[in-house]
Amino acid sequence: MNGTTISHYLNASQLAELPAFESVKFLPKAFEDSTNQLWQVSWLNAGKLEKGILKLCPLSNVSGSPFWQGMQRLFELRYPQEIEAYPEVYRLLESWSVLSIPKLHLAQSAGPEYASVLLTQKLEGDALISSQVNADMAADLGSHLGYLHQQSSRSYGPLFAAGLDAQGWGQRVHSVISELAQQQAVSLQPYEKQLDQFKRIDRASKEGFVPIMPDLRWDQFLSKAGRLYALVDLDAMVWGRRELELVLLEYLLEADWVEVFASSYRHHLELPDLSEVRTAYRLLLFLMGVLGEVSLEKWMAVPESFALLQTKNLRPVE
């Protein structure tokens, strides 16, 4: 295998489980702080050429990541030490999503001296960047999330093993926000009232937990013929509150697409009121480094798209 770079990350037993690759092409990181190293690979299987994506992640790549620190503290998801459990993640998403999910060929967890391994099918389709997103894709995202959010769990945590008590969600979110803010020397003083209110509101919530991706971005999807076609990055899929994912969408959806997304989503579920949880979830996402914004002032000032949509829908017809 043409893989001195690949073999650098793995031990002998891991290398032995990989196919004999016919070709190996390193894929540059999409973002400077990307967690994984990616290769496009191919190999022969019963005389047929298979194409795949090999994803490697050493423990050192996540040790200083605010995102993965937040994921471990909030959801008890230990990436990449728990990759061997991901066949269940791929199986569930294949059964739930309207989008294509790549076949998972191999999943091996990371250890102190070697990386985790995910080898998946390479699906046809175009890698998506935000400037290429259109209204049809916003509608497709609404349908995708609408289906996923119909799945329900009474507890939260990793998608493959939700076991955290619902009653602790609000307090745990608050604690993670406080810990990350202290680490990053971010003052929460202007938001103390909203954070205290969040804890009280969540304790009274009867909402369950649904499959969400706290790092949802357009580049985790493939497109084909101007539509969303596949979801190819499932690393951070967990059971959590759907409001957290919807708050993140206020940063991803252009103003003109919010109504399109909402219309598609509402074929499955009504949109929840985000007003009492938005501040807490925005703070959490900022402190976890989702989307890479470094100015808290700019982050918190982003328009509250779903609130504006509700106001528009409630406005009387003249």
Side-chain angles (χ1 to χ4, degrees):
M1 142 176 136
N2 179 21
T4 55
T5 51
I6 291 174
S7 61
H8 171 77
Y9 292 98
L10 306 180
N11 62 24
S13 63
Q14 288 177 305
L15 290 168
E17 287 194 48
L18 289 173
F21 293 139
E22 295 284 314
S23 65
V24 177
K25 178 183 178 183
F26 178 71
L27 301 177
K29 289 185 177 184
F31 301 96
E32 184 64 30
D33 61 349
S34 294
T35 303
N36 301 292
Q37 302 282 356
L38 301 179
W39 284 264
Q40 182 175 307
V41 296
S42 65
W43 66 97
L44 289 174
N45 181 14
K48 180 182 177 182
L49 189 68
E50 300 262 6
K51 295 182 180 180
I53 299 295
L54 179 68
K55 180 185 292 187
L56 306 182
C57 182
L59 287 173
S60 58
N61 282 22
V62 302
S63 59
S65 165
F67 177 77
W68 290 111
Q69 288 176 17
M71 292 297 288
Q72 179 170 339
R73 294 175 187 177
L74 181 53
F75 298 102
E76 295 190 0
L77 174 62
R78 292 170 178 82
Y79 183 89
Q81 298 102 309
E82 297 179 321
I83 290 293
E84 287 182 8
Y86 274 49
E88 178 69 358
V89 176
Y90 280 75
R91 185 190 71 79
L92 291 173
L93 264 292
E94 176 65 32
S95 65
W96 292 338
S97 180
V98 293
L99 302 176
S100 293
I101 305 297
K103 178 182 177 182
L104 180 62
H105 293 292
L106 182 64
Q108 299 173 326
S109 296
E113 314 234 334
Y114 49 89
S116 67
V117 178
L118 275 177
L119 177 59
T120 63
Q121 171 192 17
K122 185 183 185 302
L123 293 175
E124 297 301 319
D126 300 315
L128 190 58
I129 58 176
S130 57
S131 62
Q132 298 170 333
V133 176
N134 58 37
D136 286 338
M137 294 177 188
D140 294 336
L141 183 63
S143 182
H144 166 69
L145 294 184
Y147 273 105
L148 289 191
H149 290 180
Q150 289 182 85
Q151 313 305 319
S152 180
S153 171
R154 293 183 179 180
S155 54
Y156 66 101
L159 201 71
F160 53 82
L164 298 170
D165 191 326
Q167 294 300 312
W169 171 260
Q171 180 59 56
R172 187 178 283 245
V173 170
H174 188 283
S175 296
V176 173
I177 290 172
S178 299
E179 290 170 20
L180 291 177
Q182 185 174 14
Q183 284 181 10
Q184 299 170 33
V186 173
S187 173
L188 298 176
Q189 193 276 329
Y191 310 105
E192 286 180 357
K193 182 178 178 180
Q194 294 100 316
L195 288 172
D196 288 341
Q197 181 187 40
F198 167 78
K199 285 192 295 184
R200 292 195 300 273
I201 292 298
D202 190 78
R203 279 199 296 269
S205 175
K206 295 181 181 178
E207 283 271 340
F209 300 94
V210 304
I212 65 168
M213 289 172 57
D215 66 341
L216 180 66
R217 299 186 313 267
W218 291 112
D219 63 282
Q220 294 162 328
F221 298 88
L222 299 180
S223 66
K224 186 184 285 189
R227 306 299 297 255
L228 283 192
Y229 166 65
L231 173 64
V232 294
D233 184 347
L234 281 62
D235 295 352
M237 186 68 68
V238 290
W239 292 102
R241 296 278 197 227
R242 64 180 177 138
E243 290 88 348
L244 175 56
E245 193 166 49
L246 292 169
V247 166
L248 176 55
L249 288 183
E250 292 187 323
Y251 295 91
L252 293 180
L253 293 170
E254 297 284 344
D256 294 341
W257 303 338
V258 173
E259 195 162 356
V260 175
F261 169 88
S263 177
S264 180
Y265 185 89
R266 284 170 171 158
H267 280 97
H268 311 281
L269 294 166
E270 278 302 313
L271 285 165
D273 181 5
L274 302 177
S275 60
E276 293 177 320
V277 300
R278 181 180 280 107
T279 295
Y281 289 150
R282 283 191 168 194
L283 287 169
L284 176 66
L285 293 167
F286 174 82
L287 292 165
M288 288 174 65
V290 176
L291 303 184
E293 177 58 63
V294 296
S295 168
L296 179 58
E297 183 179 0
K298 289 181 180 179
W299 181 262
M300 300 302 284
V302 166
E304 299 173 357
S305 304
F306 289 117
L308 296 172
L309 176 64
Q310 289 176 329
T311 301
K312 179 179 179 181
N313 289 345
L314 292 172
R315 189 178 300 146
V317 178
E318 298 180 0

